[in-house]
Amino acid sequence: MTAELAHIFRHPIKSIGYEEIRTASLSEGRVLPFDRVWAVSTAQAKFESPLRDWASKMNFVRGVAAMGLAAVTARVREDGRIELTHPDLAALCIDPDLPADQAALMRWIAPLWGPDLPAPRAVERPGTALTDQRERRLSILSMASLADLAERTGIPMAPARFRGNLWVSGWAPWAERDLTGRRLRIGAAEIEIVEPIGRCRATHANPETGREDLDMLAALRAIHGDQTFGQFGIVTRAGAIARGDAVEIL
């Protein structure tokens, strides 16, 4: 079976919603467009708002601290506003750059974030992607590995659980673990695989319900002795990609 690009996901607001898209235009040395553009800082953030540069995930509202956030979905509308949905909340449509909408967003996530956590403080947009690493990477994951993980655990697995960008079908299960240092050609773009992705407890949450349904870290350790799933990559050749594009290992 020829490997192909099965899914493309982006996350406009860090930890608050995922969106599947059909196409993307990758730029050399950049993340997936519109991925982690905004984030909500908390009262314990180690910087003054507004944020001017990249900052660690510990400064922000994040799924590992409030697993209900896992069930938020996002849709970027044609007018640029973002529609957020959650199974337990009424839908919200906002422009994250408008102060009134920023306040509405922080009120909306309050039932998911919880009163015992540091209060949401501000919506940050520093002009650089607020991914978990300072380096501008995107993530590549395998549908076959996801299916194998679901079979081993007996828990249905949706790609959104892992907050990845590019999902590949057609590889043998776990074959991506051997791709560090290799390059992929997807559509017109090329990506260098640089490092496995270490996972955290946020993956314990089911993205359909926002509730913890298994110990993902223990499940990963039982298979390979580590907590990695997927690979980080750096775009080395710009170009358009689309679902269904062939994925070639160079």
Side-chain angles (χ1 to χ4, degrees), residues 65-113:
M67 294 192 182
L69 293 170
V72 178
T73 63
R75 182 175 71 90
V76 180
R77 295 168 29 138
E78 289 185 4
D79 62 5
R81 293 192 296 168
I82 301 174
E83 183 177 353
L84 302 174
T85 62
H86 186 279
D88 299 330
L89 301 174
L92 178 71
C93 190
I94 59 168
D95 179 340
D97 290 328
L98 297 181
D101 286 5
Q102 293 173 351
L105 173 61
M106 289 187 282
R107 290 193 300 270
W108 191 78
I109 65 173
L112 305 176
W113 186 238

mmCIF file of all heavy atoms in Angstrom, residues 65-113:
data_model
loop_
_atom_site.group_PDB
_atom_site.id
_atom_site.type_symbol
_atom_site.label_atom_id
_atom_site.label_comp_id
_atom_site.label_asym_id
_atom_site.label_seq_id
_atom_site.Cartn_x
_atom_site.Cartn_y
_atom_site.Cartn_z
ATOM 1 N N ALA A 65 -3.620 19.875 32.419
ATOM 2 C CA ALA A 65 -4.155 20.336 33.700
ATOM 3 C C ALA A 65 -5.673 20.300 33.750
ATOM 4 O O ALA A 65 -6.251 20.334 34.842
ATOM 5 C CB ALA A 65 -3.670 21.760 33.986
ATOM 6 N N ALA A 66 -6.314 20.258 32.587
ATOM 7 C CA ALA A 66 -7.778 20.260 32.527
ATOM 8 C C ALA A 66 -8.197 19.460 31.300
ATOM 9 O O ALA A 66 -8.294 19.992 30.201
ATOM 10 C CB ALA A 66 -8.306 21.688 32.454
ATOM 11 N N MET A 67 -8.456 18.172 31.501
ATOM 12 C CA MET A 67 -8.659 17.285 30.363
ATOM 13 C C MET A 67 -9.955 17.549 29.608
ATOM 14 O O MET A 67 -10.112 17.110 28.473
ATOM 15 C CB MET A 67 -8.549 15.833 30.820
ATOM 16 C CG MET A 67 -7.149 15.487 31.272
ATOM 17 S SD MET A 67 -6.881 13.726 31.499
ATOM 18 C CE MET A 67 -5.176 13.750 32.085
ATOM 19 N N GLY A 68 -10.875 18.273 30.220
ATOM 20 C CA GLY A 68 -12.079 18.643 29.501
ATOM 21 C C GLY A 68 -11.801 19.451 28.256
ATOM 22 O O GLY A 68 -12.595 19.448 27.297
ATOM 23 N N LEU A 69 -10.665 20.148 28.214
ATOM 24 C CA LEU A 69 -10.289 20.922 27.038
ATOM 25 C C LEU A 69 -10.077 20.039 25.811
ATOM 26 O O LEU A 69 -10.152 20.525 24.680
ATOM 27 C CB LEU A 69 -9.019 21.721 27.320
ATOM 28 C CG LEU A 69 -9.137 22.851 28.348
ATOM 29 C CD1 LEU A 69 -7.750 23.378 28.694
ATOM 30 C CD2 LEU A 69 -10.017 23.974 27.820
ATOM 31 N N ALA A 70 -9.812 18.763 26.024
ATOM 32 C CA ALA A 70 -9.533 17.862 24.896
ATOM 33 C C ALA A 70 -10.708 17.759 23.942
ATOM 34 O O ALA A 70 -10.527 17.446 22.760
ATOM 35 C CB ALA A 70 -9.165 16.468 25.415
ATOM 36 N N ALA A 71 -11.922 18.018 24.428
ATOM 37 C CA ALA A 71 -13.112 17.844 23.597
ATOM 38 C C ALA A 71 -13.530 19.121 22.871
ATOM 39 O O ALA A 71 -14.577 19.136 22.218
ATOM 40 C CB ALA A 71 -14.269 17.339 24.447
ATOM 41 N N VAL A 72 -12.729 20.164 22.963
ATOM 42 C CA VAL A 72 -13.052 21.391 22.237
ATOM 43 C C VAL A 72 -12.641 21.225 20.771
ATOM 44 O O VAL A 72 -11.525 20.787 20.472
ATOM 45 C CB VAL A 72 -12.318 22.610 22.836
ATOM 46 C CG1 VAL A 72 -12.643 23.871 22.032
ATOM 47 C CG2 VAL A 72 -12.702 22.806 24.299
ATOM 48 N N THR A 73 -13.553 21.565 19.874
ATOM 49 C CA THR A 73 -13.231 21.593 18.448
ATOM 50 C C THR A 73 -13.255 23.032 17.965
ATOM 51 O O THR A 73 -13.913 23.897 18.557
ATOM 52 C CB THR A 73 -14.217 20.760 17.617
ATOM 53 O OG1 THR A 73 -15.524 21.332 17.735
ATOM 54 C CG2 THR A 73 -14.233 19.318 18.084
ATOM 55 N N ALA A 74 -12.526 23.300 16.888
ATOM 56 C CA ALA A 74 -12.421 24.655 16.351
ATOM 57 C C ALA A 74 -12.752 24.645 14.864
ATOM 58 O O ALA A 74 -12.487 23.664 14.163
ATOM 59 C CB ALA A 74 -11.018 25.211 16.574
ATOM 60 N N ARG A 75 -13.307 25.747 14.406
ATOM 61 C CA ARG A 75 -13.519 25.935 12.972
ATOM 62 C C ARG A 75 -13.244 27.390 12.638
ATOM 63 O O ARG A 75 -13.891 28.285 13.195
ATOM 64 C CB ARG A 75 -14.943 25.575 12.559
ATOM 65 C CG ARG A 75 -15.191 25.715 11.052
ATOM 66 C CD ARG A 75 -16.572 25.221 10.673
ATOM 67 N NE ARG A 75 -17.622 26.120 11.141
ATOM 68 C CZ ARG A 75 -18.102 27.154 10.431
ATOM 69 N NH1 ARG A 75 -17.587 27.428 9.234
ATOM 70 N NH2 ARG A 75 -19.067 27.912 10.915
ATOM 71 N N VAL A 76 -12.261 27.616 11.767
ATOM 72 C CA VAL A 76 -11.956 28.972 11.336
ATOM 73 C C VAL A 76 -12.920 29.341 10.205
ATOM 74 O O VAL A 76 -12.926 28.700 9.153
ATOM 75 C CB VAL A 76 -10.495 29.093 10.869
ATOM 76 C CG1 VAL A 76 -10.197 30.514 10.412
ATOM 77 C CG2 VAL A 76 -9.540 28.687 11.995
ATOM 78 N N ARG A 77 -13.719 30.356 10.419
ATOM 79 C CA ARG A 77 -14.722 30.766 9.445
ATOM 80 C C ARG A 77 -14.092 31.635 8.359
ATOM 81 O O ARG A 77 -12.967 32.121 8.495
ATOM 82 C CB ARG A 77 -15.845 31.523 10.149
ATOM 83 C CG ARG A 77 -16.610 30.654 11.117
ATOM 84 C CD ARG A 77 -17.538 31.408 12.040
ATOM 85 N NE ARG A 77 -18.079 32.633 11.511
ATOM 86 C CZ ARG A 77 -19.347 33.028 11.651
ATOM 87 N NH1 ARG A 77 -20.210 32.234 12.269
ATOM 88 N NH2 ARG A 77 -19.761 34.191 11.199
ATOM 89 N N GLU A 78 -14.841 31.858 7.296
ATOM 90 C CA GLU A 78 -14.343 32.673 6.193
ATOM 91 C C GLU A 78 -14.059 34.108 6.629
ATOM 92 O O GLU A 78 -13.189 34.779 6.055
ATOM 93 C CB GLU A 78 -15.347 32.655 5.034
ATOM 94 C CG GLU A 78 -15.413 31.312 4.310
ATOM 95 C CD GLU A 78 -16.315 31.370 3.093
ATOM 96 O OE1 GLU A 78 -16.829 32.472 2.783
ATOM 97 O OE2 GLU A 78 -16.486 30.321 2.441
ATOM 98 N N ASP A 79 -14.786 34.593 7.638
ATOM 99 C CA ASP A 79 -14.555 35.957 8.121
ATOM 100 C C ASP A 79 -13.399 36.048 9.106
ATOM 101 O O ASP A 79 -13.114 37.123 9.648
ATOM 102 C CB ASP A 79 -15.825 36.534 8.742
ATOM 103 C CG ASP A 79 -16.312 35.761 9.974
ATOM 104 O OD1 ASP A 79 -15.611 34.824 10.418
ATOM 105 O OD2 ASP A 79 -17.405 36.083 10.486
ATOM 106 N N GLY A 80 -12.706 34.928 9.354
ATOM 107 C CA GLY A 80 -11.554 34.918 10.236
ATOM 108 C C GLY A 80 -11.872 34.624 11.680
ATOM 109 O O GLY A 80 -10.959 34.372 12.478
ATOM 110 N N ARG A 81 -13.140 34.649 12.059
ATOM 111 C CA ARG A 81 -13.496 34.307 13.430
ATOM 112 C C ARG A 81 -13.391 32.796 13.646
ATOM 113 O O ARG A 81 -13.433 32.016 12.696
ATOM 114 C CB ARG A 81 -14.906 34.806 13.766
ATOM 115 C CG ARG A 81 -15.002 36.328 13.795
ATOM 116 C CD ARG A 81 -16.310 36.776 14.405
ATOM 117 N NE ARG A 81 -17.450 36.350 13.605
ATOM 118 C CZ ARG A 81 -18.720 36.401 14.031
ATOM 119 N NH1 ARG A 81 -18.985 36.823 15.261
ATOM 120 N NH2 ARG A 81 -19.707 36.010 13.233
ATOM 121 N N ILE A 82 -13.260 32.415 14.892
ATOM 122 C CA ILE A 82 -13.093 31.004 15.243
ATOM 123 C C ILE A 82 -14.313 30.543 16.025
ATOM 124 O O ILE A 82 -14.681 31.141 17.037
ATOM 125 C CB ILE A 82 -11.820 30.784 16.073
ATOM 126 C CG1 ILE A 82 -10.585 31.239 15.286
ATOM 127 C CG2 ILE A 82 -11.682 29.312 16.468
ATOM 128 C CD1 ILE A 82 -9.308 31.188 16.083
ATOM 129 N N GLU A 83 -14.932 29.480 15.541
ATOM 130 C CA GLU A 83 -16.074 28.887 16.227
ATOM 131 C C GLU A 83 -15.590 27.708 17.061
ATOM 132 O O GLU A 83 -14.957 26.786 16.535
ATOM 133 C CB GLU A 83 -17.125 28.425 15.224
ATOM 134 C CG GLU A 83 -18.377 27.864 15.875
ATOM 135 C CD GLU A 83 -19.437 27.472 14.871
ATOM 136 O OE1 GLU A 83 -19.260 27.755 13.658
ATOM 137 O OE2 GLU A 83 -20.441 26.873 15.294
ATOM 138 N N LEU A 84 -15.886 27.736 18.348
ATOM 139 C CA LEU A 84 -15.477 26.698 19.280
ATOM 140 C C LEU A 84 -16.702 25.938 19.759
ATOM 141 O O LEU A 84 -17.745 26.542 20.068
ATOM 142 C CB LEU A 84 -14.747 27.307 20.481
ATOM 143 C CG LEU A 84 -13.491 28.126 20.170
ATOM 144 C CD1 LEU A 84 -12.972 28.786 21.446
ATOM 145 C CD2 LEU A 84 -12.422 27.256 19.539
ATOM 146 N N THR A 85 -16.583 24.616 19.823
ATOM 147 C CA THR A 85 -17.667 23.789 20.325
ATOM 148 C C THR A 85 -17.133 22.807 21.354
ATOM 149 O O THR A 85 -15.950 22.451 21.352
ATOM 150 C CB THR A 85 -18.365 23.006 19.186
ATOM 151 O OG1 THR A 85 -17.404 22.117 18.586
ATOM 152 C CG2 THR A 85 -18.917 23.946 18.127
ATOM 153 N N HIS A 86 -18.028 22.371 22.245
ATOM 154 C CA HIS A 86 -17.711 21.373 23.274
ATOM 155 C C HIS A 86 -19.011 20.663 23.613
ATOM 156 O O HIS A 86 -20.081 21.294 23.634
ATOM 157 C CB HIS A 86 -17.124 22.047 24.519
ATOM 158 C CG HIS A 86 -16.641 21.085 25.553
ATOM 159 N ND1 HIS A 86 -17.486 20.464 26.454
ATOM 160 C CD2 HIS A 86 -15.390 20.625 25.829
ATOM 161 C CE1 HIS A 86 -16.776 19.671 27.239
ATOM 162 N NE2 HIS A 86 -15.511 19.745 26.880
ATOM 163 N N PRO A 87 -18.983 19.353 23.848
ATOM 164 C CA PRO A 87 -20.233 18.625 24.104
ATOM 165 C C PRO A 87 -21.017 19.120 25.309
ATOM 166 O O PRO A 87 -22.238 18.887 25.393
ATOM 167 C CB PRO A 87 -19.770 17.176 24.291
ATOM 168 C CG PRO A 87 -18.304 17.255 24.554
ATOM 169 C CD PRO A 87 -17.817 18.452 23.826
ATOM 170 N N ASP A 88 -20.367 19.808 26.249
ATOM 171 C CA ASP A 88 -21.049 20.256 27.466
ATOM 172 C C ASP A 88 -21.316 21.758 27.495
ATOM 173 O O ASP A 88 -21.830 22.263 28.502
ATOM 174 C CB ASP A 88 -20.220 19.873 28.697
ATOM 175 C CG ASP A 88 -20.027 18.377 28.837
ATOM 176 O OD1 ASP A 88 -20.926 17.626 28.401
ATOM 177 O OD2 ASP A 88 -18.981 17.955 29.363
ATOM 178 N N LEU A 89 -20.977 22.470 26.399
ATOM 179 C CA LEU A 89 -21.107 23.930 26.400
ATOM 180 C C LEU A 89 -21.800 24.410 25.132
ATOM 181 O O LEU A 89 -21.756 23.740 24.095
ATOM 182 C CB LEU A 89 -19.718 24.588 26.485
ATOM 183 C CG LEU A 89 -18.853 24.261 27.693
ATOM 184 C CD1 LEU A 89 -17.470 24.888 27.520
ATOM 185 C CD2 LEU A 89 -19.503 24.743 28.979
ATOM 186 N N ALA A 90 -22.408 25.576 25.208
ATOM 187 C CA ALA A 90 -22.940 26.217 24.018
ATOM 188 C C ALA A 90 -21.772 26.684 23.149
ATOM 189 O O ALA A 90 -20.692 27.031 23.655
ATOM 190 C CB ALA A 90 -23.809 27.408 24.403
ATOM 191 N N ALA A 91 -21.979 26.690 21.837
ATOM 192 C CA ALA A 91 -20.917 27.096 20.916
ATOM 193 C C ALA A 91 -20.561 28.566 21.131
ATOM 194 O O ALA A 91 -21.393 29.386 21.542
ATOM 195 C CB ALA A 91 -21.347 26.858 19.480
ATOM 196 N N LEU A 92 -19.310 28.890 20.830
ATOM 197 C CA LEU A 92 -18.805 30.257 20.965
ATOM 198 C C LEU A 92 -18.102 30.639 19.673
ATOM 199 O O LEU A 92 -17.316 29.852 19.133
ATOM 200 C CB LEU A 92 -17.814 30.343 22.126
ATOM 201 C CG LEU A 92 -17.155 31.703 22.369
ATOM 202 C CD1 LEU A 92 -18.167 32.703 22.924
ATOM 203 C CD2 LEU A 92 -15.962 31.562 23.310
ATOM 204 N N CYS A 93 -18.363 31.839 19.170
ATOM 205 C CA CYS A 93 -17.697 32.327 17.962
ATOM 206 C C CYS A 93 -16.998 33.640 18.306
ATOM 207 O O CYS A 93 -17.642 34.578 18.781
ATOM 208 C CB CYS A 93 -18.702 32.533 16.841
ATOM 209 S SG CYS A 93 -17.925 32.853 15.242
ATOM 210 N N ILE A 94 -15.677 33.692 18.092
ATOM 211 C CA ILE A 94 -14.893 34.842 18.548
ATOM 212 C C ILE A 94 -13.841 35.254 17.527
ATOM 213 O O ILE A 94 -13.430 34.470 16.674
ATOM 214 C CB ILE A 94 -14.161 34.523 19.871
ATOM 215 C CG1 ILE A 94 -13.223 33.305 19.699
ATOM 216 C CG2 ILE A 94 -15.129 34.326 21.020
ATOM 217 C CD1 ILE A 94 -12.257 33.109 20.840
ATOM 218 N N ASP A 95 -13.417 36.495 17.655
ATOM 219 C CA ASP A 95 -12.187 36.982 17.057
ATOM 220 C C ASP A 95 -11.191 37.103 18.201
ATOM 221 O O ASP A 95 -11.329 38.000 19.043
ATOM 222 C CB ASP A 95 -12.407 38.341 16.393
ATOM 223 C CG ASP A 95 -11.134 38.910 15.768
ATOM 224 O OD1 ASP A 95 -10.027 38.473 16.154
ATOM 225 O OD2 ASP A 95 -11.242 39.816 14.925
ATOM 226 N N PRO A 96 -10.195 36.217 18.299
ATOM 227 C CA PRO A 96 -9.304 36.217 19.465
ATOM 228 C C PRO A 96 -8.465 37.484 19.632
ATOM 229 O O PRO A 96 -7.806 37.644 20.663
ATOM 230 C CB PRO A 96 -8.398 34.998 19.215
ATOM 231 C CG PRO A 96 -9.129 34.156 18.240
ATOM 232 C CD PRO A 96 -9.883 35.119 17.372
ATOM 233 N N ASP A 97 -8.492 38.376 18.645
ATOM 234 C CA ASP A 97 -7.742 39.621 18.773
ATOM 235 C C ASP A 97 -8.574 40.749 19.382
ATOM 236 O O ASP A 97 -8.024 41.812 19.703
ATOM 237 C CB ASP A 97 -7.217 40.064 17.399
ATOM 238 C CG ASP A 97 -6.105 39.164 16.880
ATOM 239 O OD1 ASP A 97 -5.333 38.640 17.715
ATOM 240 O OD2 ASP A 97 -6.013 38.977 15.656
ATOM 241 N N LEU A 98 -9.875 40.552 19.544
ATOM 242 C CA LEU A 98 -10.736 41.595 20.100
ATOM 243 C C LEU A 98 -10.869 41.433 21.607
ATOM 244 O O LEU A 98 -11.189 40.343 22.095
ATOM 245 C CB LEU A 98 -12.118 41.529 19.455
ATOM 246 C CG LEU A 98 -12.185 41.791 17.943
ATOM 247 C CD1 LEU A 98 -13.628 41.701 17.465
ATOM 248 C CD2 LEU A 98 -11.582 43.148 17.607
ATOM 249 N N PRO A 99 -10.644 42.506 22.376
ATOM 250 C CA PRO A 99 -10.707 42.385 23.833
ATOM 251 C C PRO A 99 -12.007 41.798 24.364
ATOM 252 O O PRO A 99 -11.986 40.962 25.273
ATOM 253 C CB PRO A 99 -10.511 43.836 24.298
ATOM 254 C CG PRO A 99 -9.693 44.464 23.218
ATOM 255 C CD PRO A 99 -10.190 43.840 21.940
ATOM 256 N N ALA A 100 -13.155 42.211 23.811
ATOM 257 C CA ALA A 100 -14.427 41.679 24.308
ATOM 258 C C ALA A 100 -14.526 40.182 24.051
ATOM 259 O O ALA A 100 -15.028 39.420 24.894
ATOM 260 C CB ALA A 100 -15.595 42.415 23.651
ATOM 261 N N ASP A 101 -14.036 39.742 22.889
ATOM 262 C CA ASP A 101 -14.078 38.311 22.570
ATOM 263 C C ASP A 101 -13.063 37.526 23.389
ATOM 264 O O ASP A 101 -13.294 36.355 23.720
ATOM 265 C CB ASP A 101 -13.827 38.097 21.081
ATOM 266 C CG ASP A 101 -15.035 38.487 20.232
ATOM 267 O OD1 ASP A 101 -16.021 39.015 20.803
ATOM 268 O OD2 ASP A 101 -15.004 38.278 19.012
ATOM 269 N N GLN A 102 -11.945 38.155 23.713
ATOM 270 C CA GLN A 102 -10.977 37.500 24.592
ATOM 271 C C GLN A 102 -11.590 37.232 25.959
ATOM 272 O O GLN A 102 -11.424 36.147 26.534
ATOM 273 C CB GLN A 102 -9.729 38.372 24.720
ATOM 274 C CG GLN A 102 -8.941 38.500 23.437
ATOM 275 C CD GLN A 102 -7.811 39.500 23.541
ATOM 276 O OE1 GLN A 102 -7.695 40.232 24.531
ATOM 277 N NE2 GLN A 102 -6.955 39.544 22.522
ATOM 278 N N ALA A 103 -12.310 38.215 26.481
ATOM 279 C CA ALA A 103 -12.990 38.022 27.764
ATOM 280 C C ALA A 103 -14.041 36.932 27.662
ATOM 281 O O ALA A 103 -14.196 36.116 28.587
ATOM 282 C CB ALA A 103 -13.621 39.338 28.218
ATOM 283 N N ALA A 104 -14.747 36.892 26.527
ATOM 284 C CA ALA A 104 -15.754 35.847 26.337
ATOM 285 C C ALA A 104 -15.114 34.468 26.301
ATOM 286 O O ALA A 104 -15.668 33.496 26.843
ATOM 287 C CB ALA A 104 -16.531 36.115 25.054
ATOM 288 N N LEU A 105 -13.953 34.359 25.679
ATOM 289 C CA LEU A 105 -13.248 33.076 25.628
ATOM 290 C C LEU A 105 -12.863 32.615 27.019
ATOM 291 O O LEU A 105 -13.052 31.435 27.368
ATOM 292 C CB LEU A 105 -12.001 33.199 24.748
ATOM 293 C CG LEU A 105 -11.067 31.982 24.740
ATOM 294 C CD1 LEU A 105 -11.778 30.742 24.213
ATOM 295 C CD2 LEU A 105 -9.816 32.277 23.911
ATOM 296 N N MET A 106 -12.350 33.504 27.840
ATOM 297 C CA MET A 106 -11.930 33.104 29.181
ATOM 298 C C MET A 106 -13.117 32.718 30.048
ATOM 299 O O MET A 106 -13.020 31.802 30.873
ATOM 300 C CB MET A 106 -11.078 34.206 29.802
ATOM 301 C CG MET A 106 -9.705 34.298 29.137
ATOM 302 S SD MET A 106 -8.548 35.429 29.939
ATOM 303 C CE MET A 106 -9.164 37.003 29.330
ATOM 304 N N ARG A 107 -14.260 33.381 29.849
ATOM 305 C CA ARG A 107 -15.474 32.953 30.562
ATOM 306 C C ARG A 107 -15.927 31.581 30.074
ATOM 307 O O ARG A 107 -16.379 30.737 30.858
ATOM 308 C CB ARG A 107 -16.601 33.978 30.363
ATOM 309 C CG ARG A 107 -16.392 35.294 31.069
ATOM 310 C CD ARG A 107 -17.676 36.104 31.085
ATOM 311 N NE ARG A 107 -18.165 36.411 29.743
ATOM 312 C CZ ARG A 107 -17.833 37.500 29.052
ATOM 313 N NH1 ARG A 107 -16.997 38.390 29.566
ATOM 314 N NH2 ARG A 107 -18.339 37.714 27.845
ATOM 315 N N TRP A 108 -15.796 31.345 28.771
ATOM 316 C CA TRP A 108 -16.282 30.096 28.176
ATOM 317 C C TRP A 108 -15.498 28.892 28.672
ATOM 318 O O TRP A 108 -16.074 27.819 28.911
ATOM 319 C CB TRP A 108 -16.194 30.212 26.653
ATOM 320 C CG TRP A 108 -16.878 29.129 25.894
ATOM 321 C CD1 TRP A 108 -18.220 29.001 25.666
ATOM 322 C CD2 TRP A 108 -16.256 28.023 25.221
ATOM 323 N NE1 TRP A 108 -18.476 27.881 24.883
ATOM 324 C CE2 TRP A 108 -17.282 27.264 24.601
ATOM 325 C CE3 TRP A 108 -14.932 27.617 25.072
ATOM 326 C CZ2 TRP A 108 -17.028 26.121 23.859
ATOM 327 C CZ3 TRP A 108 -14.667 26.475 24.330
ATOM 328 C CH2 TRP A 108 -15.703 25.733 23.739
ATOM 329 N N ILE A 109 -14.182 29.033 28.814
ATOM 330 C CA ILE A 109 -13.364 27.898 29.244
ATOM 331 C C ILE A 109 -13.378 27.692 30.752
ATOM 332 O O ILE A 109 -12.885 26.663 31.239
ATOM 333 C CB ILE A 109 -11.902 28.015 28.762
ATOM 334 C CG1 ILE A 109 -11.203 29.214 29.411
ATOM 335 C CG2 ILE A 109 -11.830 28.071 27.245
ATOM 336 C CD1 ILE A 109 -9.711 29.286 29.112
ATOM 337 N N ALA A 110 -13.946 28.634 31.506
ATOM 338 C CA ALA A 110 -13.910 28.544 32.971
ATOM 339 C C ALA A 110 -14.467 27.223 33.493
ATOM 340 O O ALA A 110 -13.860 26.611 34.389
ATOM 341 C CB ALA A 110 -14.652 29.731 33.586
ATOM 342 N N PRO A 111 -15.603 26.704 32.986
ATOM 343 C CA PRO A 111 -16.093 25.422 33.509
ATOM 344 C C PRO A 111 -15.164 24.248 33.211
ATOM 345 O O PRO A 111 -15.206 23.230 33.904
ATOM 346 C CB PRO A 111 -17.446 25.240 32.786
ATOM 347 C CG PRO A 111 -17.820 26.586 32.300
ATOM 348 C CD PRO A 111 -16.534 27.287 32.009
ATOM 349 N N LEU A 112 -14.336 24.374 32.182
ATOM 350 C CA LEU A 112 -13.407 23.306 31.817
ATOM 351 C C LEU A 112 -12.094 23.433 32.573
ATOM 352 O O LEU A 112 -11.447 22.429 32.886
ATOM 353 C CB LEU A 112 -13.139 23.347 30.304
ATOM 354 C CG LEU A 112 -14.367 23.295 29.399
ATOM 355 C CD1 LEU A 112 -13.957 23.452 27.947
ATOM 356 C CD2 LEU A 112 -15.136 22.001 29.605
ATOM 357 N N TRP A 113 -11.686 24.649 32.847
ATOM 358 C CA TRP A 113 -10.388 24.893 33.483
ATOM 359 C C TRP A 113 -10.461 24.674 34.987
ATOM 360 O O TRP A 113 -9.569 24.098 35.590
ATOM 361 C CB TRP A 113 -9.931 26.309 33.152
ATOM 362 C CG TRP A 113 -8.557 26.667 33.622
ATOM 363 C CD1 TRP A 113 -8.221 27.691 34.464
ATOM 364 C CD2 TRP A 113 -7.314 26.033 33.290
ATOM 365 N NE1 TRP A 113 -6.865 27.738 34.671
ATOM 366 C CE2 TRP A 113 -6.286 26.719 33.952
ATOM 367 C CE3 TRP A 113 -6.983 24.944 32.477
ATOM 368 C CZ2 TRP A 113 -4.942 26.359 33.841
ATOM 369 C CZ3 TRP A 113 -5.650 24.572 32.366
ATOM 370 C CH2 TRP A 113 -4.648 25.279 33.043
#
